[in-house]
């Protein structure tokens, strides 16, 4: 088991912080008449503040994920968790963050906003983390190491052995972003939380659950990490509508499973169909709900697709992704449109 003195990692001002105490978190027991939070007493369905710690939903998620409710943080998308982890553990101007390149852009943006030094190590040519380089780059001020697997925009999973080796060798917190884990064959690292106190896992309702619009992200970690995130978050960071819709979705796990199955089936179809087009140079293996493809004329093809009303992401200027477009797997009929537009584009050349 890898232990870590998490309390020592926390920024000293955050350790000392006396957090805001919201009205709703100050009582225990069953209330019937709430005169504590200056709300409007008339029932609009939304006249009451939500539970600041979202215990009902956390209990449901805990059961499904096989973790304790106290090991869960819920936020306004996983983007909130990324920002809070940086604010909790990284002192601006002193501490550092390490990640790989290319990867999800918000780690760097949040580091920059918080004035925390961000360093990145290029992935290997097969899009795996370069462990030796990462370890060389890390020092005692490197508080967080972000890994995204399946990785955005490369779409592949990092090997389990690589993630485990990083967890063993990196001294501070490893934040493993599993936003796309439902589309992968790899088992989630949630089962490894008991073994690695330095492991923090991010997941989200925005992808496989089909709920990007409600903004709900999950963070799973040692209770001491979760409690410092709770200490600095906005008191009512997840709203009542979001809590209700997420709880309903959890009751319909079959819908989620059906979508995942269909998206994976469509991914396979696209991965088989795309190389047939002369425009496509390479279709990279995908463990996510999107595919990275290297094409001959990224800008022209991108513009052509926009002209057809099809929006993909131009990643051709990103490290190691020269000439690449990132294509999200759509509904079967949308994927048909994409393939048709590609065929038409080739006729224009
Ligand atoms: N992590 C990764 C790897 C992502 O690609 C995204 C969204 N594009 C997020 C996190 C953000 O998720 P959320 O909607 O939960 O903020």
């Amino acid at each position: 088991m890898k232990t870590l003195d998490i309390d020592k990692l926390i920024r000293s001002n955050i350790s000392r912080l006396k957090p805001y105490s919201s009205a709703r978190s100050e009582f225990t027991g069953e209330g019937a008449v709430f005169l504590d939070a200056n709300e409007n007493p008339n029932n609009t369905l939304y006249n009451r503040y939500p539970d600041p710690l979202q215990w009902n939903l956390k209990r449901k998620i805990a059961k499904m994920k096989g973790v304790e409710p106290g090991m869960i943080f819920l936020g306004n998308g996983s983007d909130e968790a990324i920002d809070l982890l940086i604010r909790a553990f990284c002192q601006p101007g002193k501490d550092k963050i390490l990640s790989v390149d290319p990867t999800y852009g918000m780690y760097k943006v949040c580091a920059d906003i918080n004035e925390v030094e961000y360093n990145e190590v290029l992935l290997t040519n097969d899009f795996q983390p370069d462990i030796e380089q990462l370890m060389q780059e890390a020092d005692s001020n490197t508080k967080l190491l972000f890994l995204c697997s399946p990785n955005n925009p490369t779409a592949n999973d990092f090997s389990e052995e690589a993630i485990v080796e990083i967890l063993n060798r990196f001294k501070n917190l490893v934040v493993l972003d599993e936003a796309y884990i439902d589309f992968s064959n790899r088992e989630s690292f949630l089962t490894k939380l008991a073994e690695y106190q330095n492991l923090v896992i991010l997941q989200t309702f925005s992808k496989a659950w089909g709920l990007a619009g409600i903004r709900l992200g999950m963070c799973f970690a040692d209770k001491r990490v979760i409690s410092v995130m709770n200490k600095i978050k906005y008191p009512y960071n997840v709203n009542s509508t979001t809590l209700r819709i997420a709880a309903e979705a959890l009751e319909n796990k079959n819908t989620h499973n059906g979508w995942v199955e269909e998206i994976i089936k469509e991914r396979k179809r696209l991965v088989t169909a795309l190389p047939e087009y002369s425009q496509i140079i390479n279709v990279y293996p995908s463990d996510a709900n999107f595919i990275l493809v290297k094409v001959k004329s990224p800008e022209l093809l991108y513009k052509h697709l926009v002209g057809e009303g099809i929006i993909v992401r131009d990643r051709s200027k990103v490290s190691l992704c020269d000439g690449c477009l990132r294509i999200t797997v759509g509904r079967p009929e949308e994927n048909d449109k994409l393939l048709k537009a590609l065929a038409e584009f080739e006729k224009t050349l």
Side-chain angles (χ1 to χ4, degrees):
M1 174 164 163
K2 170 129 175 186
T3 57
L4 184 66
D5 191 349
I6 290 165
D7 298 324
K8 254 176 89 179
L9 279 187
I10 300 170
R11 274 170 72 187
S12 54
N13 65 313
I14 301 297
S15 286
R16 290 192 305 270
L17 177 78
K18 189 173 176 325
Y20 177 75
S21 173
S22 57
R24 233 4 70 82
S25 55
E26 282 187 355
F27 86 101
T28 47
E30 288 293 304
V33 179
F34 288 101
L35 306 177
D36 58 344
N38 302 346
E39 297 148 334
N40 184 325
N42 298 292
N43 184 7
T44 63
L45 292 181
Y46 299 107
N47 56 316
R48 298 294 176 194
Y49 283 106
D51 174 5
L53 290 172
Q54 311 102 11
W55 285 117
N56 274 337
L57 184 61
K58 279 183 185 166
R59 275 190 286 271
K60 290 190 166 81
I61 294 172
K63 209 166 138 199
M64 185 178 68
K65 302 281 182 184
V67 300
E68 288 176 49
M71 295 171 75
I72 306 174
F73 166 85
L74 296 178
N76 187 329
S78 17
D79 287 341
E80 181 182 358
I82 294 167
D83 185 51
L84 287 183
L85 284 163
I86 296 174
R87 283 157 60 195
F89 294 103
C90 301
Q91 191 175 317
K94 174 172 174 257
D95 291 327
K96 303 178 199 171
I97 291 169
L98 185 56
S99 191
V100 296
D101 179 36
T103 194
Y104 181 45
M106 277 304 280
Y107 315 138
K108 177 166 168 30
V109 171
C110 286
D112 288 347
I113 291 169
N114 287 295
E115 238 185 331
V116 171
E117 185 179 323
Y118 181 90
N119 295 298
E120 54 200 1
V121 170
L122 205 60
L123 291 174
T124 60
N125 283 335
D126 55 351
F127 294 153
Q128 291 294 321
D130 184 335
I131 300 178
E132 295 311 321
Q133 282 299 322
L134 282 166
M135 292 309 131
Q136 217 162 24
E137 193 64 46
D139 64 26
S140 58
N141 289 329
T142 311
K143 294 289 188 65
L144 303 175
L145 194 164
F146 280 92
L147 290 178
C148 180
S149 180
N151 187 37
N152 181 2
T154 56
N156 64 308
D157 251 323
F158 296 157
S159 82
E160 237 178 280
E161 298 73 36
I163 302 171
V164 167
E165 188 176 342
I166 292 168
L167 278 168
N168 282 322
R169 289 177 63 182
F170 183 63
K171 286 219 303 266
N172 295 326
L173 292 171
V174 176
V175 185
L176 179 61
D177 187 341
E178 292 190 335
Y180 300 99
I181 190 68
D182 303 70
F183 305 105
S184 161
N185 282 330
R186 173 173 76 71
E187 204 195 316
S188 163
F189 265 55
L190 283 174
T191 50
K192 294 198 165 48
L193 280 172
E195 214 176 315
Y196 293 97
Q197 289 186 353
N198 62 331
L199 173 60
V200 179
I201 294 175
L202 303 178
Q203 292 186 5
T204 179
F205 279 78
S206 297
K207 312 293 172 184
W209 287 99
L211 291 171
I214 70 169
R215 309 305 302 128
L216 186 63
M218 298 169 270
C219 177
F220 305 89
D222 185 283
K223 286 179 182 172
R224 291 166 296 170
V225 172
I226 299 302
S227 85
V228 71
M229 293 172 81
N230 286 333
K231 187 176 177 185
I232 64 175
K233 75 182 183 68
Y234 287 156
Y236 304 105
N237 61 326
V238 181
N239 70 69
S240 309
T241 327
T242 293
L243 292 175
R244 178 173 53 75
I245 294 171
E248 281 167 14
L250 292 180
E251 301 298 322
N252 291 311
K253 186 91 206 283
N254 286 342
T255 309
H256 162 281
N257 292 346
W259 285 333
V260 169
E261 211 176 291
E262 183 178 70
I263 289 168
I264 291 176
K265 198 169 137 211
E266 282 296 300
R267 179 180 78 198
K268 279 192 192 136
R269 180 165 80 93
L270 286 176
V271 166
T272 311
L274 286 166
E276 305 284 316
Y277 297 83
S278 61
Q279 199 27 235
I280 309 286
I281 300 170
N282 195 8
V283 178
Y284 293 93
S286 170
D287 301 297
N289 67 338
F290 57 89
I291 305 169
L292 188 72
V293 287
K294 193 191 268 294
V295 304
K296 286 184 186 156
S297 326
E299 274 171 47
L300 281 181
L301 177 57
Y302 177 85
K303 280 193 190 131
H304 174 80
L305 292 176
V306 171
E308 297 293 318
I310 300 169
I311 316 300
V312 299
R313 195 97 199 256
D314 183 355
R315 301 278 80 185
S316 60
K317 304 284 183 296
V318 168
S319 321
L320 303 180
C321 297
D322 209 21
C324 287
L325 298 180
R326 193 194 71 186
I327 304 175
T328 307
V329 178
R331 300 263 328 126
E333 58 278 15
E334 292 175 323
N335 303 328
D336 287 341
K337 274 190 192 154
L338 171 82
L339 295 175
K340 192 161 164 257
L342 200 50
E344 273 156 17
F345 177 67
E346 298 204 333
K347 277 191 228 148
T348 66
L349 297 175

